[in-house]
């Protein structure tokens, strides 16, 4: 996740999501600045996350791009 979030609300949301999905959700929360820095530095962890298989549950960035078209 990139952006800001209330950590307690996020943890509760993830816990509920895991129950409904029936599997554990692995996630990381980065500020926009930290994400940009890690991207610029070719951070190993970030690139592994970006390159690995994933299931997108919510994509606000691309949703806003699509609604603008």
């Amino acid at each position: 996740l990139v952006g800001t979030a209330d950590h307690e609300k996020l943890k509760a949301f993830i816990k509920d999501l895991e129950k409904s999905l029936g599997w554990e959700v692995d996630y990381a929360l980065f500020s926009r600045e930290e994400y940009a820095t890690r991207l610029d530095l070719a951070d190993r962890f970030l690139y592994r996350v970006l390159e690995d298989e994933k299931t997108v549950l919510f994509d606000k960035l691309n949703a806003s791009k699509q609604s603008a078209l």
Side-chain angles (χ1 to χ4, degrees):
L1 302 168
V2 179
T4 58
D6 179 304
H7 292 279
E8 293 306 313
K9 287 182 181 180
L10 179 59
K11 285 183 353 186
F13 173 77
I14 295 294
K15 185 177 178 180
D16 289 344
L17 183 62
E18 289 173 335
K19 284 181 186 177
S20 68
L21 293 172
W23 43 272
E24 183 179 347
V25 174
D26 294 322
Y27 70 97
L29 176 62
F30 299 109
S31 68
R32 288 177 185 250
E33 294 79 17
E34 183 180 6
Y35 176 79
T37 299
R38 285 175 175 260
L39 199 58
D40 288 343
L41 296 174
D43 179 79
R44 211 179 234 182
F45 170 75
L46 180 61
Y47 275 87
R48 191 180 84 230
V49 169
L50 293 173
E51 292 171 356
D52 281 353
E53 183 179 336
K54 60 191 105 2
T55 301
V56 178
L57 300 172
F58 181 75
D59 187 345
K60 186 176 178 182
L61 179 61
N62 284 325
S64 65
K65 286 180 183 177
Q66 289 173 357
S67 66
L69 296 176

